[in-house]
């Protein structure tokens, strides 16, 4: 069973305040909700041949596929969380074809990408076996059910809403901070976010620059309906020159 709970050296379970304090940057927690896309359709039609529609879904084959998914969501998740990188992540549940994990916000964001990468490897990159996820942020004293409900809604959005800049399809993606991204987009964005965090820590840029970048990003997303929002280009050039 996936049952990892973060604890200190004495075995005492860490509270949410302590988990949030272990995050990089802001003392916030992240809630990760993920599950396999179209699993019902996979069990129903995934073992039929394309010619004639012959059904190869014997009891043993269905049971084997179900058991292998359980192996990933129980055994692999448990092994990953007991390692050093994700030891501060708290297993609410993980099994069957889905998971819900709470931890320092930066670890849960990193864990989402790791889960998808390993699931792709586990399924030999089968294009019909994909994963979607939702990530929400919350303060350690906030009600956990609010964070879970938000993550569930983001998961639904990831399954139903095509990402901007994607291939026009939904599912096989993640939603966080109001943005839906294909997993490859997410990987690139995360690398840029890490670089931005390093610049902040090195004081190469200040918090004001980060807020302005976010503002310019919002302006860019409005350019399709409001051409005047392209004014962010000279504003961004000015900031970079400074």
């Amino acid at each position: 069973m996936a049952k990892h709970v973060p604890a200190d050296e004495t075995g005492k379970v860490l509270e949410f305040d302590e988990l949030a304090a272990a995050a990089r940057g802001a003392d916030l927690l992240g809630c990760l909700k993920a599950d396999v896309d179209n699993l019902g359709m996979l069990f129903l039609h995934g073992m039929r041949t394309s010619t004639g529609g012959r059904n190869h879904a014997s009891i043993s084959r269905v049971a084997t596929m179900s058991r292998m998914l359980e192996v990933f969501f129980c055994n692999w998740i448990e092994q990953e969380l007991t390692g050093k990188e994700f030891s501060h992540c708290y297993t609410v549940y993980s099994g069957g074809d889905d998971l819900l994990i709470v931890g320092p916000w930066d670890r849960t964001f990193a864990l989402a990408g790791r889960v998808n990468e390993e699931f792709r490897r586990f399924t030999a990159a089968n294009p019909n076996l994909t994963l979607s996820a939702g990530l929400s942020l919350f303060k350690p004293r906030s009600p956990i059910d609010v964070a879970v409900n938000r993550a569930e809604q983001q998961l639904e959005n990831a399954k139903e809403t095509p990402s901007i800049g994607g291939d026009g399809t939904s599912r096989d993606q993640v939603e966080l901070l109001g943005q839906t991204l294909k997993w490859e987009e997410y990987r690139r964005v995360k690398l840029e976010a890490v670089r931005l965090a390093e610049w902040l820590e090195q004081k190469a840029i200040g918090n004001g620059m980060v807020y302005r970048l976010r503002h310019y990003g919002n302006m860019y997303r409005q350019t399709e309906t409001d051409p005047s929002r392209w004014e962010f280009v000279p504003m961004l050039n000015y900031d970079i020159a400074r």
Side-chain angles (χ1 to χ4, degrees):
M1 290 177 61
K3 58 186 186 302
H4 175 74
V5 175
D8 62 16
E9 297 79 3
T10 66
K12 173 183 171 292
V13 174
L14 296 176
E15 298 188 5
F16 276 5
D17 284 329
E18 297 169 291
L19 294 181
R24 186 179 188 180
D27 291 354
L28 293 172
L29 294 171
C31 181
L32 166 62
K33 180 83 167 65
D35 69 14
V36 178
D37 298 318
N38 294 321
L39 189 61
M41 294 294 289
L42 182 68
F43 275 108
L44 188 61
H45 299 291
M47 298 181 191
R48 293 181 184 273
T49 58
S50 57
T51 56
R54 184 180 177 188
N55 192 356
H56 295 279
S58 65
I59 292 175
S60 63
R61 283 176 175 149
V62 170
T64 298
M65 186 162 70
S66 179
R67 186 163 56 249
M68 292 306 291
L69 287 172
E70 185 79 6
V71 165
F72 180 83
F73 282 96
C74 283
N75 300 68
W76 181 84
I77 292 294
E78 176 70 9
Q79 179 178 330
E80 197 69 17
L81 297 190
T82 52
K84 183 178 181 181
E85 185 176 0
F86 300 112
S87 61
H88 280 76
C89 292
Y90 186 111
T91 312
V92 182
Y93 63 78
S94 184
D97 75 316
D98 61 352
L99 58 82
L100 177 61
I101 292 173
V102 172
W105 74 269
D106 58 328
R107 315 286 170 83
T108 54
F109 278 40
L111 180 61
R114 179 73 61 82
V115 169
N116 180 67
E117 290 169 6
E118 291 301 317
F119 186 72
R120 300 298 296 145
R121 193 163 69 91
F122 186 75
T123 60
N126 187 324
N128 298 305
L129 274 165
T130 59
L131 198 73
S132 290
L135 282 159
S136 66
L137 291 174
F138 66 106
K139 295 179 180 179
R141 298 301 176 98
S142 300
I144 182 66
D145 60 328
V146 174
V148 172
N149 289 337
R150 189 179 301 126
E152 288 178 344
Q153 183 58 57
Q154 290 176 305
L155 173 59
E156 288 303 311
N157 293 343
K159 288 180 174 291
E160 301 298 333
T161 307
S163 64
I164 298 174
D167 56 6
T169 63
S170 55
R171 294 179 170 79
D172 191 21
Q173 49 191 16
V174 57
E175 178 164 300
L176 69 160
L177 302 176
Q179 295 292 307
T180 305
L181 303 171
K182 289 294 183 184
W183 285 109
E184 183 59 28
E185 289 181 283
Y186 176 74
R187 186 186 68 82
R188 292 195 299 267
V189 167
K190 189 163 71 68
L191 289 174
E192 293 297 334
V194 169
R195 182 163 65 164
L196 200 61
E198 290 173 349
W199 287 348
L200 274 169
E201 291 168 350
Q202 296 163 4
K203 301 191 183 304
I205 61 173
N207 289 335
M209 181 63 178
V210 176
Y211 283 110
R212 288 196 296 277
L213 286 173
R214 187 171 70 172
H215 177 58
Y216 298 153
N218 290 332
M219 292 175 69
Y220 171 72
R221 284 187 285 274
Q222 296 167 11
T223 53
E224 287 190 4
T225 56
D226 183 2
S228 69
R229 305 304 279 171
W230 282 107
E231 64 183 358
F232 84 86
V233 175
M235 295 165 68
L236 177 58
N237 281 333
Y238 175 74
D239 277 332
I240 293 173
R242 287 183 62 198

